[in-house]
Amino acid sequence: MILKNAKIVLQDKIIENGSLLIKDNKIIKISEKEIDANKEEVIDLKGNYLMPGFIDCHVHGGYGVDFETGDEKRFLTFSENVIKEGITSYVQASVTNSVEDNKKYLTEFKNFKNAKNIKGAKCLGVHMEGPFISAEKKGAHDPNLLVKPNIDLIKEFIEISNKNIKIVTYASELQDGSFTKYLINNKIVPSVGHTNQESYELEKDYLLGAKHVTHIFNGMSGVDHYRPGLAVSALTHKDILVEVISDGVHLNEDILDLIYKIKGADNICIITDSINAKGLSDGEYKIGNLEVIKKGIEVRLKSNNVLAGSGATYNHNVKFYKEKCLIPMTELIKMTSINIAKQLNIYEKTGSIEENKIADLVVVDKEFNVLYTFVEGKKVYER
Ligand SMILES: [Zn+2]
């Protein structure tokens, strides 16, 4: 397959009127000139942007799917719908559940991961956002089900999931460093979040290798000049990758700008944190056992109006961040794909447009409408 007449977004430049040759699942050739068709299928991208496929490392569901409840088909339904947002890979997140519910969920998930012939986006594994978080910054998580970071428990979860847990969010001050080490030894990204810790408290785990922070500013101690919290240490440690919910609801525009200016494009990854109500009409839904109300892209707890995940799509968040902070396209691809691919150890294979890498790609227009999505070299979505 040949994609022609594309603005190909690379890290060092944009190729205007570029062409790309895809064979099987790989990018074989990137060219500034038109590639000889020679019986290949040719798609004219009409001057639109060709970017690496988006990778969302923190998403709870969408299109009526809540990863933690429902029938077996739900995982597939999500994978087949989320390609509309330009997502080619994702890590599905779970909220705080009872131990039994987590075991049930991870068992069902393992069966899905073993399934073949999935036509949608690739699920990379699970992001466990609970239960190892602090009651003081629980957000929309059920306070009755929280537990301290516990090695025996995570060991059991890892086994049940068949080693498919990729990220664990935890309040790092609730353990002595052994939990952090255990995650790292098991090739799981330790992500500090949902915590009321003081900025200095991150240090022991940072030195052990904790270099990921769950949705910066949301669900954590912030910027108080007498008692700086995790938001401050996440900003001041240059090499910590911070998840950012850039939907325009979870963070004020000036805060988005502050994060971009301090962290730079190299240390931000855009996430949705979206829930089952994404892609559905406004109304009342449930996230875990909690009742929520969706209005536009906002989803709030019915009981107290606290934000409870998002109803925004990934391409919306990309557009919002780019336009508010005037981020160049060559920088933006770091925030949507490259950084998180590196963090998840898949960058050798995917996450950027390079010859011999897997063809996980998205085509967007100037307004960030998704026109095409390609997963493993196959066109899985066309607008
Ligand atoms: Zn979340």
Side-chain angles (χ1 to χ4, degrees):
M1 185 191 300
I2 291 170
L3 309 180
K4 73 168 190 179
N5 200 5
K7 284 190 181 71
I8 305 177
V9 186
L10 308 176
Q11 287 178 77
D12 56 342
K13 64 178 174 187
I14 296 174
I15 301 179
E16 301 284 337
N17 295 316
S19 293
L20 201 80
L21 174 63
I22 299 170
K23 274 215 156 83
D24 299 324
N25 62 344
K26 282 193 176 155
I27 299 166
I28 299 297
K29 191 175 176 187
I30 302 166
S31 174
E32 307 210 354
K33 294 183 199 134
E34 205 165 308
I35 298 170
D36 185 14
N38 198 17
K39 290 184 194 160
E40 292 285 341
E41 180 192 355
V42 180
I43 301 176
D44 185 347
L45 299 184
K46 297 181 179 151
N48 289 297
Y49 288 107
L50 180 63
M51 304 170 73
F54 303 143
I55 303 172
D56 189 355
C57 72
H58 189 152
V59 51
H60 297 274
Y63 310 97
V65 172
D66 174 350
F67 291 132
E68 288 144 277
T69 52
D71 62 23
E72 271 180 30
K73 269 194 242 156
R74 67 194 189 272
F75 301 115
L76 198 58
T77 304
F78 181 83
S79 159
E80 290 178 350
N81 274 283
V82 79
I83 47 180
K84 296 177 206 163
E85 305 172 29
I87 286 178
T88 53
S89 299
Y90 59 95
V91 184
Q92 64 181 50
S94 54
V95 292
T96 295
N97 297 302
S98 68
V99 171
E100 286 67 38
D101 283 348
N102 267 328
K103 287 181 182 172
K104 181 170 172 279
Y105 160 64
L106 293 170
T107 305
E108 290 167 344
F109 174 71
K110 177 182 70 182
N111 298 337
F112 163 70
K113 277 290 282 179
N114 290 336
K116 292 197 173 75
N117 297 324
I118 292 166
K119 289 187 206 110
K122 292 179 276 191
C123 181
L124 302 170
V126 168
H127 178 161
M128 291 197 86
E129 198 180 1
F132 308 116
I133 59 175
S134 165
E136 292 172 297
K137 291 286 178 185
K138 62 185 179 352
H141 294 248
D142 187 340
N144 300 315
L145 300 175
L146 301 180
V147 291
K148 284 196 175 159
N150 178 318
I151 291 179
D152 290 334
L153 194 52
I154 193 67
K155 184 170 183 244
E156 210 180 335
F157 289 157
I158 292 169
E159 280 166 12
I160 293 170
S161 77
N162 198 20
K163 297 186 179 161
N164 275 309
I165 297 171
K166 299 295 170 192
I167 305 173
V168 172
T169 292
Y170 66 117
S172 61
E173 76 281 12
L174 302 181
Q175 48 86 60
D176 60 5
S178 52
F179 188 78
T180 304
K181 275 192 225 163
Y182 190 81
L183 295 179
I184 292 170
N185 288 340
N186 283 279
K187 299 192 169 66
I188 294 171
V189 175
S191 186
V192 185
H194 284 286
T195 158
N196 194 31
Q197 67 183 233
E198 294 196 44
S199 55
Y200 74 87
E201 289 182 271
L202 181 67
E203 215 50 37
K204 76 174 191 308
D205 300 287
Y206 172 77
L207 292 172
L208 289 169
K211 294 186 178 177
H212 194 99
V213 160
T214 300
H215 44 51
I216 186 167
F217 282 104
N218 296 115
M220 67 176 63
S221 39
V223 185
D224 179 307
H225 58 297
Y226 290 119
R227 189 192 179 280
L230 174 62
V232 172
S233 40
L235 289 171
T236 53
H237 290 75
K238 197 69 189 164
D239 60 346
I240 288 180
L241 184 64
V242 295
E243 299 176 356
V244 177
I245 312 172
S246 54
D247 58 1
V249 176
H250 281 75
L251 296 165
N252 178 285
E253 288 167 26
D254 287 346
I255 294 295
L256 286 177
D257 204 30
L258 173 94
I259 299 167
Y260 179 61
K261 288 204 167 102
I262 296 180
K263 298 298 293 184
D266 286 324
N267 291 292
I268 290 171
C269 61
I270 294 174
I271 62 163
T272 59
D273 204 9
S274 66
I275 66 154
N276 55 359
K278 166 168 72 175
L280 303 182
S281 48
D282 289 359
E284 295 189 9
Y285 298 95
K286 274 182 120 185
I287 174 166
N289 290 320
L290 305 170
E291 293 181 324
V292 298
I293 298 176
K294 173 183 183 287
K295 200 176 161 200
I297 60 168
E298 286 187 37
V299 184
R300 294 180 183 275
L301 288 183
K302 197 176 172 184
S303 58
N304 60 7
N305 216 30
V306 167
L307 277 174
S310 176
T313 58
Y314 200 91
N315 55 318
H316 166 87
N317 291 7
V318 176
K319 174 180 156 74
F320 194 87
Y321 213 161
K322 182 191 168 27
E323 290 180 354
K324 294 300 163 192
C325 299
L326 305 174
I327 302 168
M329 292 295 284
T330 49
E331 297 274 285
L332 198 61
I333 56 172
K334 297 177 184 172
M335 297 158 63
T336 60
S337 316
I338 293 171
N339 301 339
I340 188 63
K342 287 179 179 169
Q343 188 77 307
L344 294 168
N345 245 321
I346 53 172
Y347 187 63
E348 260 180 49
K349 292 185 188 153
T350 187
S352 63
I353 302 180
E354 287 176 65
E355 290 177 358
N356 291 319
K357 274 200 171 182
I358 290 173
D360 292 331
L361 305 162
V362 56
V363 180
V364 295
D365 64 15
K366 270 190 230 137
E367 294 299 313
F368 282 84
N369 296 304
V370 175
L371 306 178
Y372 295 95
T373 305
F374 300 87
V375 175
E376 300 254 343
K378 286 197 185 72
K379 185 177 79 183
V380 292
Y381 175 72
E382 179 175 356
R383 198 176 189 220

